[in-house]
């Protein structure tokens, strides 16, 4: 199918506009984030992953301190909207979101987002461990994971989590009868403690039927791999790509113009 002179001119104008806009996004990359549950069959599941690619200013929690409402929203029930809201308030230019339904043992999921690496080189995450009252995984320190340089290259290709890196939020009394994924969370009681490492108590859930359709068996030791985040980057099309497109369309327009003249 041949293009008319008018159509070619319009396409060339679009390409030129794209080239101009591309100059403002040269530091951007498409970042694919993949979350994998590495726990053994019938062991830990995880609530949806909450993530942020950011400038390094949002500090969600600290070891040995009382948890705030943001991290508690992740640790108790896995909902996490206050965590996202607090992130956005602290770092308005951050790329934030949540992905996936509960992640059962052996499952994975991915999401791709566009990131401006010139201002958002750091990665933060939080996800509730299931079953539990208030256990979660996440990074203590906003600049712990510097995953991208200013040119869009990966500095860290993956983040692994072991059982001894599971956090106890200290906000809810440990009780299997009121734990998420196995109990009635409406009956939970406040603990009013501090954030600390704790995975050993998960064995108390052994033998209980879970919302994931399996009977829980922790099987964890301190060095058990339970979770992995992997990263891949792909370049957003450079302005030169659009410029080449515009040049090609101009050539097509020139050919169409000559054809019109030859018919006259």
């Amino acid at each position: 199918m041949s293009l008319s002179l008018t159509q070619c001119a319009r396409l060339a104008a679009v390409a030129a506009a794209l080239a101009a806009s591309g100059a403002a996004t040269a530091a951007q990359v498409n970042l694919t984030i993949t979350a994998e549950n590495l726990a053994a069959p019938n062991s830990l599941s995880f609530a949806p992953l909450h993530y942020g690619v950011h400038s390094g200013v949002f500090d969600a929690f600290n070891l040995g301190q009382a948890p705030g409402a943001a991290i508690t929203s992740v640790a108790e029930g896995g909902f996490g909207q206050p965590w996202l809201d607090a992130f956005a308030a602290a770092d308005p230019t951050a790329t934030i979101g949540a992905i996936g339904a509960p992640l059962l043992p052996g499952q994975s999921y991915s999401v791709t987002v566009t990131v401006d690496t010139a201002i958002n080189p750091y990665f933060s995450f939080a996800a509730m461990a299931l079953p539990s009252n208030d256990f979660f995984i996440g990074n203590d320190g906003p600049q712990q994971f510097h995953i991208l340089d200013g040119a869009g290259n990966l500095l860290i290709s993956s983040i692994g989590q072991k059982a001894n890196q599971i956090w106890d939020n200290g906000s809810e009394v440990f009780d299997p009868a009121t734990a998420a994924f196995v109990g009635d969370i409406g009956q939970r009681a406040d603990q009013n403690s501090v954030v600390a490492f704790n995975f050993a108590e998960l064995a108390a859930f052994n033998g209980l039927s879970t919302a994931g359709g399996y009977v829980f068996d922790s099987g964890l030791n301190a060095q058990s791999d339970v979770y992995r985040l992997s990263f891949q980057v792909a370049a957003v099309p450079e302005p030169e790509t659009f410029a080449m497109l515009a040049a090609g369309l101009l050539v097509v327009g020139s050919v169409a113009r000559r054809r019109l003249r030859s018919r006259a």
Side-chain angles (χ1 to χ4, degrees):
M1 181 179 68
S2 61
L3 296 174
S4 69
L5 179 60
T6 300
Q7 288 172 319
C8 289
R10 287 175 179 172
L11 288 173
V14 170
L18 288 173
S21 66
T25 59
Q28 292 189 340
V29 297
N30 290 326
L31 176 69
T32 298
I33 306 162
T34 299
E36 300 174 83
N37 184 342
L38 303 181
N42 302 324
S43 187
L44 282 180
S45 290
F46 292 91
L49 172 72
H50 297 77
Y51 68 88
V53 192
H54 59 98
S55 66
V57 298
F58 176 64
D59 191 6
F61 67 95
N62 291 287
L63 174 65
Q65 296 183 11
I71 193 62
T72 298
S73 72
V74 174
E76 294 186 9
F79 172 57
Q81 187 59 49
W83 187 90
L84 295 172
D85 293 342
F87 210 137
D91 194 347
T93 65
T95 299
I96 61 175
I99 55 174
L103 192 64
L104 303 183
Q107 292 183 341
S108 65
Y109 46 55
S110 299
V111 65
T112 299
V113 295
T114 300
V115 176
D116 187 339
T117 64
I119 59 174
N120 291 322
Y122 297 100
F123 185 82
S124 289
F125 68 99
M128 184 183 187
L130 300 169
S132 77
N133 293 89
D134 60 351
F135 286 13
F136 70 98
I137 55 173
N139 56 298
D140 174 19
Q143 298 183 16
Q144 183 175 354
F145 297 114
H146 188 175
I147 67 167
L148 294 161
D149 67 16
N153 300 304
L154 276 178
L155 302 176
I156 298 174
S157 61
S158 65
I159 298 169
Q161 296 285 280
K162 295 184 180 295
N164 63 3
Q165 294 174 297
I166 294 172
W167 300 97
D168 180 343
N169 198 52
S171 57
E172 184 178 322
V173 173
F174 181 84
D175 182 358
T178 64
F181 216 51
V182 293
D184 180 4
I185 63 173
Q187 303 302 313
R188 60 195 178 195
D190 291 339
Q191 185 179 5
N192 300 314
S193 186
V194 298
V195 179
F197 290 114
N198 186 358
F199 79 92
E201 286 185 339
L202 291 169
F205 296 111
N206 287 350
L208 297 181
S209 296
T210 71
Y214 62 90
V215 175
F216 186 75
D217 180 13
S218 170
L220 297 173
N221 61 57
Q223 294 302 308
S224 296
D225 293 315
V226 296
Y227 204 85
R228 180 167 59 221
L229 291 160
S230 302
F231 307 104
Q232 292 181 311
V233 293
V236 173
E238 296 291 339
E240 291 82 3
T241 302
F242 298 117
M244 290 176 63
L245 174 60
L249 290 171
L250 288 172
V251 170
V252 173
S254 177
V255 172
R257 190 160 39 244
R258 284 198 299 269
R259 287 179 177 175
L260 288 173
R261 288 172 179 169
S262 66
R263 292 174 184 173

